Amino acid sequence: MRIALASDHAGYPLKLEIAALLHAAGHETVDFGAPSTAPADLSDHVYPAALAVGRGECERGIFVDGVGYGSALISNRIAGVTAVVCQDPFCGYLARAHTDSNVLCLGGKIIGSAIALEIVRTWLTTDFLDEPKYRERVAKVDEISRRHLVPLDDLG
């Protein structure tokens, strides 16, 4: 699977650990930065990474900032992206099984790397529960996106 990675300076160390886990599992990653722990604006890195997921250039994304919410806030502004913040493996499971999320956002300042890596493993290996109630819920969210988000093709 091709996975977009992004972080700010606060998420950089955890992003490196996640990248190593992904590579060991045979995934391809595209790193959109930040390139170090030097101060960096989250949107400079998460925005292009979320665009890559929304355009289908990457199948999924994993973004790490201080708490995870900034990455989700930016990502969910992009058509074709469903970003979730997870703080434990059960949330990672539900985020895939019930919502078919394609971007995982983690907080490098609030969860340790052992839990973060387990969240990533769970989120990556959980399939969407393709059952009527979940399909209907996801369809409702997709309809909201169609009404209010500009399709990426219309951006030129």
Side-chain angles (χ1 to χ4, degrees):
M1 185 180 311
R2 186 176 171 129
I3 301 169
L5 297 177
S7 71
D8 63 2
H9 54 285
Y12 176 75
L14 182 54
K15 181 184 69 171
L16 293 181
E17 290 185 58
I18 291 168
L21 172 79
L22 297 173
H23 292 150
H27 298 289
E28 176 187 356
T29 63
V30 181
D31 191 339
F32 289 86
S36 71
T37 56
D41 290 336
L42 185 60
S43 57
D44 292 342
H45 306 289
V46 168
Y47 176 56
L51 283 173
V53 175
R55 290 180 174 141
E57 297 163 6
C58 293
E59 294 167 77
R60 298 213 197 148
I62 301 174
F63 308 155
V64 188
D65 62 52
V67 223
Y69 295 120
S71 293
L73 181 76
I74 295 163
S75 299
N76 281 319
R77 300 283 197 282
I78 305 300
V81 172
T82 302
V84 294
V85 179
C86 294
Q87 297 169 344
D88 61 57
F90 184 63
C91 290
Y93 168 78
L94 291 176
R96 284 288 307 140
H98 291 193
T99 69
D100 202 20
S101 61
N102 58 3
V103 169
L104 173 64
C105 301
L106 299 169
K109 288 185 176 181
I110 61 169
I111 57 174
S113 65
I115 292 173
L117 297 177
E118 189 57 34
I119 294 168
V120 169
R121 280 188 207 93
T122 301
W123 185 76
L124 283 174
T125 59
T126 300
D127 292 324
F128 175 58
L129 292 174
D130 195 9
E131 300 171 4
K133 73 177 182 180
Y134 301 117
R135 280 195 308 269
E136 290 169 15
R137 291 175 186 170
V138 169
K140 287 178 182 180
V141 174
D142 289 345
E143 179 57 28
I144 292 168
S145 294
R146 278 191 290 282
R147 287 184 188 173
H148 300 285
L149 293 179
V150 176
L152 292 176
D153 293 343
D154 292 352
L155 295 177

